[in-house]
Every structure is written in C-alpha cells, then in structure tokens.
Amino acid sequence: MKISILSILVCLLTLGSCKTESKDSKVDEEISKAEMEGSLKTMTGEFIYADSAAVFQTKNAIYGVVINEMAEELIANVRDMNPDPYASFDVTLKVKIENNTQEDAWPKVVKIQNIIKVEQSQDDQSLRLSK
C-alpha cells in the first residue's frame, strides 16, 4: 500500500514539474512556427539605423534588418522625422523572420514586408553616449 501511494506521489510530482516552461522557449517556439509557415508576423519594437546597418528590437529579441526596398522606405521616413543617425523610432511592421546567413551578425534577421506605424521614440537615449 505504501509503495503504491509513494509511486503515485512520484508520478504526480514528475508530471507537475513538466508543466513549467520558460518565456524564452515560448518566444523561440513562436519564431520557429512563423519561420516554418513562411508567414508574415506583425511586430512592434524599436528601430535604429546608423551607417549601413539597421536593427529591430522587440521586448523579447533583437534582429538585424535586411536592407530591401521596404527597409529603405522606412529609413527615408525616419530620416525625415529626425536626421540624427542615432535616433530610435517606435515602429509596427509586418515582417518575415529568417535565419541570418552572415557570420558575426545577429542570428535572426527580419525582412520588412509592410510598414504599419512609425513614430519618434519617447525614450530616445538607448544608443546615446553623450548629449
């Protein structure tokens, strides 16, 4: 009797511990699902462009930006709003997430497919070294 109760208790504890999942694995799972489906994803985050590189940062991840026609349009829009090369912008974009083929770069990149919203970041201090 004691062995069967102990066995049931061990099984319940084992099953209960399997239910916890980290936030990072949920994000990775979501990204993988979007990649596998080849679907577009609407994402909101911070866009920064300097020199010839662009970065898109969400709450959970940072992506390199593929410089395509839509990225160039976004860069032109943000330059019109603020010509400072280190200004950041809050954007909502439709993107396609892909693995980055370049070495020594962000592991994931986004290809901008559609620009939904662009506005000057309220907290524009992220890349500033001095004022």
Side-chain angles (χ1 to χ4, degrees):
M1 180 73 173
K2 289 181 182 181
I3 294 176
S4 61
I5 293 174
L6 184 62
S7 297
I8 292 172
L9 239 163
V10 169
C11 288
L12 288 175
L13 288 174
T14 304
L15 290 174
S17 65
C18 292
K19 291 183 180 181
T20 59
E21 189 174 315
S22 72
K23 186 177 181 180
D24 290 339
S25 65
K26 286 182 182 180
V27 171
D28 291 340
E29 190 176 297
E30 187 176 305
I31 290 170
S32 296
K33 184 179 176 184
E35 287 173 347
M36 288 173 60
E37 293 174 357
S39 64
L40 299 180
K41 182 172 174 119
T42 302
M43 299 176 77
T44 299
E46 184 178 18
F47 177 80
I48 300 167
Y49 175 78
D51 298 327
S52 61
V55 176
F56 180 62
Q57 178 178 352
T58 65
K59 290 179 183 177
N60 301 319
I62 300 176
Y63 304 92
V65 177
V66 174
I67 305 298
N68 60 10
E69 187 176 310
M70 292 305 294
E72 289 175 355
E73 182 180 326
L74 178 58
I75 292 166
N77 287 346
V78 299
R79 280 190 181 153
D80 288 344
M81 292 173 73
N82 186 346
D84 181 356
Y86 299 104
S88 63
F89 299 87
D90 294 328
V91 297
T92 302
L93 307 168
K94 270 209 189 282
V95 299
K96 187 174 189 179
I97 301 170
E98 299 179 345
N99 288 322
N100 195 350
T101 57
Q102 296 180 358
E103 291 182 23
D104 298 328
W106 300 109
K108 301 281 185 185
V109 294
V110 292
K111 282 188 176 179
I112 301 171
Q113 304 298 314
N114 192 7
I115 302 165
I116 299 171
K117 182 174 124 181
V118 181
E119 60 188 21
Q120 182 77 37
S121 179
Q122 299 300 318
D123 181 25
D124 193 19
Q125 302 300 317
S126 57
L127 291 180
R128 299 218 184 257
L129 299 175
S130 63
K131 269 196 164 186

